[in-house]
Amino acid sequence: MFTPHQFFALVLRLFAVWLLLAAGQIVLVSYAVHRGAQDNVLISYAVAAMYAVVALLLWLFPLAVAGKILPKTTGNDAGRAVSCDSAAIAFIVAGLAIIALKALTPLANYVSLLTMLVLSGQTARMATASLHIDGVIAIVMLLIGLSLVLKARPLARIVLR
């Protein structure tokens, strides 16, 4: 039987595996698309490296991160605390899923394309409107996911009333 912190640490490790796979995908796609233009591909490699570093940190220190996001509960009502922790974990997993599936890849694509556009001597205004819309949607999804992760305990208390 897992404690809520151990279960959330397991979720963080699974998220770390997803981040590592996403980093590998970014590297492979960037290499395939930009075989000759090394100056435009550096931002893609930097994003992949950032994913890999975060994945490594989450893999090595999942309980420490779980303790920061989901602090220890105090009080005599152990059943209520476990149900509150379980509801908070559900909000955190939903937030991580939104970040992983709806925010990180589109946001990385948006930043990479804008950076390549600016490095090629053009302005950000040269990008299509759909690129900017996709970037704004990715930022909104990132904010929603982060708010679910960072405000999981207050949301769990609201739901359990």
Side-chain angles (χ1 to χ4, degrees), residues 60-72:
L60 293 176
F61 307 108
L63 281 173
V65 174
K68 293 289 184 191
I69 295 175
L70 188 67
K72 294 276 187 193

Side-chain angles (χ1 to χ4, degrees), residues 81-106:
V82 169
S83 66
C84 186
D85 286 345
S86 299
I89 288 173
F91 278 110
I92 292 169
V93 169
L96 288 176
I98 290 171
I99 290 169
L101 301 175
K102 296 290 184 181
L104 284 182
T105 303

Side-chain angles (χ1 to χ4, degrees), residues 3 21 23-24 29 35 42 58 66 99 121 126 131 142 149:
T3 66
L21 291 173
V29 168
R35 279 185 227 160
L42 290 179
L58 287 177
I99 290 169
M126 298 297 290
L131 177 68
L142 180 65
V149 169

Side-chain angles (χ1 to χ4, degrees), residues 80 152-161:
R80 174 99 173 125
R153 189 167 295 279
L155 288 171
R157 283 191 209 110
I158 291 170
V159 168
L160 291 176
R161 270 190 219 167

Side-chain angles (χ1 to χ4, degrees), residues 63-136:
L63 281 173
V65 174
K68 293 289 184 191
I69 295 175
L70 188 67
K72 294 276 187 193
T73 56
T74 59
N76 297 333
D77 190 12
R80 174 99 173 125
V82 169
S83 66
C84 186
D85 286 345
S86 299
I89 288 173
F91 278 110
I92 292 169
V93 169
L96 288 176
I98 290 171
I99 290 169
L101 301 175
K102 296 290 184 181
L104 284 182
T105 303
L107 189 60
N109 289 339
Y110 177 69
V111 170
S112 297
L113 289 173
L114 273 185
T115 303
M116 285 188 268
L117 194 65
V118 170
L119 289 177
S120 68
Q122 300 177 10
T123 64
R125 292 182 188 191
M126 298 297 290
T128 63
S130 66
L131 177 68
H132 291 300
I133 291 171
D134 289 344
V136 169

